[in-house]
């Protein structure tokens, strides 16, 4: 079965430190990859997407993600975390029918 | 440009009742998707509408249905509510619903079934 895995339920980072939220996928073909963020009591907000081209994708709020085809990963990164980055982060990938498959989400906690 | 709006934001129903949720997409967006979000199951796709036609459907029972109007507004209906239907229901719109399109989400409707 095609799937998207976010191996960490929660990631804790000190403010100012770099952060990484991991995402790996198992889908057929060449998927399109997305990251979304959800703040409490809010809908999901788009951060960035990889369609083709440069493996490093830059997105909103200083986030970036690196596509690694050999490792089938699309990790989300930010050089310096802010307390306001604390939220729930979702990775998604298109399957062989170009339907989105969502990861379970990773709760990111940035401590002052 | 106004974002995706969903009404109502909160809803409390009892088992056996039915409920209708509404979603107004971003102006110009013709594709509307619905998702169910629960702590245990995460984000699950319900269905997608484009130009008043259901294009894709997730793995949910027939109690879950939807429709889209000519102005792209969409409604979803859940009949014979069960306790397990308690969830945050999210609506997302995109220009054309293609696989590269970015989806823009509304704030959700939190449904509690007692």
């Amino acid at each position: 079965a095609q799937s998207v895995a976010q191996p960490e339920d929660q990631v804790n980072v000190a403010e100012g430190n770099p952060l990484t939220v991991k995402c790996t996928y198992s889908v057929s073909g060449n998927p399109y990859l997305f990251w979304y963020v959800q703040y409490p009591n809010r809908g999901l907000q788009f951060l960035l997407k990889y369609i083709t081209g440069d493996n490093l994708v830059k997105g909103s709020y200083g986030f970036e993600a690196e596509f690694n085809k050999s490792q089938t990963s699309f990790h989300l990164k930010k050089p310096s975390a802010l307390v306001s980055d604390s939220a729930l982060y979702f990775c998604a990938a298109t399957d062989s029918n170009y339907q989105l498959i969502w990861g379970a989400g990773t709760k990111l906690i940035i401590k002052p | 440009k106004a974002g995706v709006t969903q009404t109502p934001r909160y809803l409390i129903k009892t088992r056996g009742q039915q409920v209708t949720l509404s979603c107004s997409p971003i102006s110009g967006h013709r594709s509307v998707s619905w998702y169910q979000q629960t702590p245990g199951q995460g984000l699950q796709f319900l269905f997608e509408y484009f130009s008043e036609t259901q294009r894709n459907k997730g793995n949910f029972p027939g109690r879950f249905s939807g429709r889209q109007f000519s102005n792209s507004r969409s409604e979803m209906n859940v009949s014979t509510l069960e306790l397990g239907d308690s969830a945050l229901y999210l609506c997302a719109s995109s220009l054309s619903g293609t696989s590269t399109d970015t989806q823009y989400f509304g704030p959700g409707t939190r449904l509690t079934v007692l």
Side-chain angles (χ1 to χ4, degrees):
Chain A
Q2 302 182 81
S3 63
V4 172
Q6 293 182 242
E8 300 152 318
D9 290 338
Q10 182 169 308
V11 171
N12 297 295
V13 178
E15 186 177 27
N17 282 1
L19 69 87
T20 298
V21 182
K22 296 179 181 177
C23 172
T24 59
Y25 59 90
S26 176
V27 301
S28 304
N30 299 308
Y32 305 134
L33 300 158
F34 299 79
W35 275 103
Y36 285 81
V37 60
Q38 185 177 33
Y39 298 100
N41 300 314
R42 304 274 294 274
L44 278 68
Q45 293 180 35
F46 169 75
L47 280 178
L48 51 80
K49 64 183 176 184
Y50 174 81
I51 305 300
T52 187
D54 193 352
N55 290 343
L56 186 64
V57 180
K58 293 188 183 298
S60 307
Y61 312 121
F63 284 93
E64 58 188 27
E66 186 168 12
F67 170 62
N68 188 317
K69 188 172 183 177
S70 63
Q71 298 187 5
T72 62
S73 68
F74 189 56
H75 300 332
L76 182 70
K77 301 180 179 184
K78 187 173 183 181
S80 179
L82 299 173
V83 172
S84 57
D85 293 329
S86 298
L88 188 57
Y89 289 79
F90 289 94
C91 178
T94 52
D95 65 13
S96 53
N97 295 317
Y98 294 103
Q99 297 302 307
L100 273 180
I101 307 173
W102 294 84
T106 298
K107 186 174 184 179
L108 176 65
I109 297 176
I110 310 299
K111 298 182 178 180
Chain B
K1 199 182 256 190
V4 178
T5 58
Q6 291 186 247
T7 56
R9 290 291 312 276
Y10 302 91
L11 210 47
I12 300 175
K13 293 286 187 179
T14 56
R15 279 182 302 173
Q17 287 186 308
Q18 75 164 19
V19 67
T20 299
L21 312 182
S22 181
C23 171
S24 292
I26 291 173
S27 177
H29 285 193
R30 297 171 64 189
S31 170
V32 174
S33 297
W34 288 89
Y35 294 88
Q36 182 195 66
Q37 185 179 17
T38 59
Q41 298 296 318
L43 205 64
Q44 295 194 86
F45 171 73
L46 281 155
F47 27 66
E48 185 240 349
Y49 285 86
F50 179 81
S51 291
E52 302 178 65
T53 301
Q54 187 181 90
R55 282 202 303 200
N56 294 293
K57 189 178 190 302
N59 190 24
F60 277 82
R63 299 185 297 109
F64 292 81
S65 63
R67 59 178 177 169
Q68 187 180 34
F69 301 94
S70 59
N71 62 356
S72 294
R73 189 177 70 86
S74 177
E75 289 181 347
M76 69 162 279
N77 184 276
V78 188
S79 62
T80 320
L81 284 166
E82 300 177 0
L83 294 179
D85 296 333
S86 294
L88 181 67
Y89 289 88
L90 293 167
C91 162
S93 77
S94 65
L95 275 170
S96 57
T98 63
S99 52
T100 57
D101 259 3
T102 296
Q103 293 191 42
Y104 295 88
F105 285 79
T109 293
R110 185 163 296 282
L111 172 64
T112 302
V113 182
L114 303 175

